Amino acid sequence: HLREDTAPRIVEPPTDLLVSRGEPATLSCRAEGRPSPAVEWYKDGERVETDREDPRSHRTLLPGGSLFFLRILHGRRGKPDEGVYVCVARNYLGEATSRNASLEVASE
């Protein structure tokens, strides 16, 4: 009995994070669907590049779809990791977008 293909749904959305500068962090996201959906992350509307696109990136897309930061970057010139994130899961039947999760860097 073949199971029918299903559009993605987010089963574990990311939650807001408050992280210290230089610490690792994980924004969780888990999606279900058939075929298994591909997960992408967007920050403030822009697609997040991970080490898949850029081997020097400090962000890794984990196998389940979560976004892992080796260390939160935060310098005098800016807070490149701070912002509002969503994860988007897609397969050929459609896509699902998680709720917004904000990542804030704690001030020292």
Side-chain angles (χ1 to χ4, degrees), residues 14 24 32 59 82 91 99 105 107:
E32 284 176 357
R59 292 180 294 247
E82 206 166 70
N91 67 15
R99 65 181 201 79
V105 180
S107 46

Side-chain angles (χ1 to χ4, degrees), residues 44-82:
D44 301 330
E46 302 269 312
R47 202 168 85 77
V48 172
E49 290 215 337
T50 61
D51 59 356
R52 288 190 187 176
E53 293 93 14
D54 178 359
R56 292 164 321 197
S57 174
H58 67 295
R59 292 180 294 247
T60 300
L61 188 62
L62 299 178
S66 296
L67 185 62
F68 175 69
F69 299 81
L70 290 170
R71 60 191 178 282
I72 292 298
L73 296 185
H74 185 82
R76 279 192 296 272
R77 284 196 219 94
K79 308 174 181 180
D81 290 327
E82 206 166 70

Side-chain angles (χ1 to χ4, degrees), residues 3-14 28-39 64-65 87-99:
R3 286 190 293 166
E4 283 181 29
D5 287 355
T6 55
R9 63 191 187 96
I10 307 279
V11 290
E12 190 188 323
S28 43
C29 178
R30 209 159 55 78
E32 284 176 357
R34 200 179 157 84
S36 283
V39 171
C87 76
V88 180
R90 287 191 185 89
N91 67 15
Y92 80 97
L93 284 170
E95 65 177 56
T97 303
S98 74
R99 65 181 201 79

